[in-house]
Amino acid sequence: MTSSVKAKRPSDFLIALPRVMGYTPVNSIVVQTFQSRQTAASLRVDLPTAEHQKNPRLIADAIIRLISRVPGVDAVLIAIYTDEAWSAADRPPRPQLVEAIVTRMASAGLGIVDALCCSGRSWASYLDAERGTFDENEKSRIEAELDGVGAPRDVEAIAQGAPPICEGPSAQRDGVAQASTAIMHDARERERLWEWPVAHVLWTDAIESTPTDLPPKAVAALLWSIRDKGVRDCVLMLMAWGNDAGDRAAADTALLRRGLTVPDGSILETFVGEGRQCPDGLRIEGAVRLLRHLISLAPRPWQLAPFTMLAWFEWARGQGSAAGDYLEQALSIGPGYELARLFEQLISTGRVPDWVGRQAV
């Protein structure tokens, strides 16, 4: 399904970009890439300090190398987010830097949608005389349309990269720790939770519940189930694509465990970003909320799988920097965790999922 958000004015892109990215950029260069007029990956780099801006072409070359890793890009929008002061009569800050970036993008054959500056409530285009302050009515319209496609909310207070996960209430963490210990001492329960039909019901119920309503025993059971890598992968597919995807993943996982080859087009291929169908934005939001809640209550060794899964969901919605932050936390717990290592290698190449960009702005 392709969902559209109509940008009528250049400022509309600046209203939408933080919601698309999942955080509000600060002192940043943001390049929003497009594939056939649909948004693809959002790329962000730090805005260089004045002393490191002596050769803006080097910065432009670095940005084009990032863009070259995203397949199918045919146009870009450049946005400078800065806290530098400038008046309506002034030219926006960093004009030489923006000129170098625009020239480099154009020489690479990319269409330039616009080059914009955002500073507080003011905005301006570097390419023409358009400028102004953000219109509250237009902002409300864009926000409502972004709500409709499941874009992250309340991003004004979210820093660049992964939002931190605070520990849950101590009483709840103690309850989960006690329930986790009980599972560890019950061999039958451990094996039962690693059976896909049991895990399927457990996770389906959790997805349909409010995370904070889950009792400690349910939280511990969820965390234990994904310590089995087969169940973990099936749960990831279930949360991303729905019940049928979880069952298909379980069938393919059973083949792999018997040393057999899975058929072409396996649902497991979506783990590496293959496939053009975009996961439902609301499903991803729900998965992120649930996994963050589980991590906030989990004993540290049991945070490894949910941190890695959370990184995948951030990457799946185009938030590569957040994914990298969560993977770093996962690997700090288990440096040899195979899935986190493989995934780290995948995103370090600049790979973005095929479906990123299926939502048009």
Side-chain angles (χ1 to χ4, degrees):
M1 179 181 70
T2 301
S3 301
S4 297
V5 177
K6 296 180 176 61
K8 298 178 180 178
R9 306 171 64 217
S11 58
D12 293 350
F13 282 105
L14 294 173
I15 294 171
L17 269 177
R19 294 279 303 272
V20 170
M21 299 180 72
Y23 59 88
T24 300
V26 177
N27 289 324
S28 300
I29 305 167
V30 174
V31 180
Q32 177 61 57
T33 64
F34 294 82
Q35 300 167 342
S36 302
R37 302 184 66 181
Q38 293 180 315
T39 55
S42 303
L43 309 175
R44 190 206 69 83
V45 298
D46 290 338
L47 191 62
T49 61
E51 63 179 292
H52 291 103
Q53 196 185 301
K54 295 178 181 177
N55 191 343
R57 180 161 182 174
L58 294 178
I59 299 168
D61 287 343
I63 292 173
I64 200 68
R65 286 195 295 271
L66 287 175
I67 294 173
S68 68
R69 297 176 178 177
V70 184
V73 172
D74 53 24
V76 295
L77 179 141
I78 300 153
I80 302 296
Y81 285 82
T82 177
D83 56 13
E84 295 179 42
W86 53 285
S87 70
D90 293 334
R91 193 177 183 189
R94 311 295 184 104
Q96 293 83 8
L97 174 62
V98 173
E99 181 180 3
I101 296 171
V102 168
T103 301
R104 186 67 182 87
M105 302 299 106
S107 68
L110 298 172
I112 309 297
V113 176
D114 212 331
L116 305 172
C117 181
C118 178
S119 180
R121 293 181 53 81
S122 300
W123 67 272
S125 172
Y126 290 94
L127 303 185
D128 53 42
E130 286 195 87
R131 62 178 60 211
T133 56
F134 293 107
D135 181 273
E136 290 302 319
N137 291 332
E138 195 65 11
K139 183 176 180 180
S140 296
R141 179 186 69 81
I142 295 289
E143 296 283 0
E145 294 187 15
L146 288 165
D147 287 343
V149 298
R153 294 185 175 189
D154 303 323
V155 298
E156 290 83 0
I158 298 177
Q160 292 160 184
I165 300 175
C166 300
E167 286 188 346
S170 58
Q172 294 182 34
R173 286 189 286 112
D174 289 344
V176 171
Q178 292 172 11
S180 301
T181 300
I183 291 174
M184 292 289 291
H185 288 87
D186 188 337
R188 182 175 298 179
E189 181 67 359
R190 294 200 306 269
E191 293 298 322
R192 188 181 75 88
L193 292 172
W194 284 353
E195 297 172 2
W196 174 241
V198 174
H200 189 171
V201 172
L202 182 68
W203 279 89
T204 299
D205 289 345
I207 292 167
E208 295 174 353
S209 303
T210 301
T212 52
D213 290 343
L214 294 170
K217 287 184 178 179
V219 171
L222 291 164
L223 290 165
W224 174 263
S225 70
I226 54 177
R227 296 190 73 174
D228 175 81
K229 66 179 183 179
V231 170
R232 175 203 62 204
D233 296 348
C234 295
V235 168
L236 193 147
M237 297 292 102
L238 167 71
M239 289 199 292
W241 308 103
N243 287 329
D244 179 62
D247 289 336
R248 288 164 54 198
D252 289 348
T253 299
L255 291 176
L256 290 173
R257 283 178 165 170
R258 288 156 50 195
L260 302 176
T261 302
V262 299
D264 291 338
S266 167
I267 188 67
L268 296 175
E269 293 175 358
T270 62
F271 177 78
V272 295
E274 295 185 4
R276 300 293 287 174
Q277 181 184 353
C278 180
D280 183 89
L282 295 176
R283 288 193 71 87
I284 291 183
E285 276 295 295
V288 168
R289 282 195 300 272
L290 176 56
L291 290 167
R292 286 176 57 85
H293 180 68
L294 296 180
I295 291 167
S296 75
L297 299 176
R300 182 170 169 79
W302 293 30
Q303 293 177 341
L304 188 49
F307 259 130
T308 305
M309 295 166 71
L310 182 57
W312 187 89
F313 278 106
E314 292 290 3
W315 177 73
R317 61 181 178 180
Q319 307 304 322
S321 59
D325 288 347
Y326 287 134
L327 280 177
E328 183 177 344
Q329 293 183 69
L331 290 168
S332 72
I333 300 168
Y337 193 56
E338 183 181 17
L339 184 65
R341 282 292 180 202
L342 291 173
F343 189 31
E344 182 186 47
Q345 293 172 12
L346 178 69
I347 65 174
S348 69
T349 66
R351 172 81 165 110
V352 295
D354 294 343
W355 58 77
V356 168
R358 295 297 90 198
Q359 291 180 338
V361 176

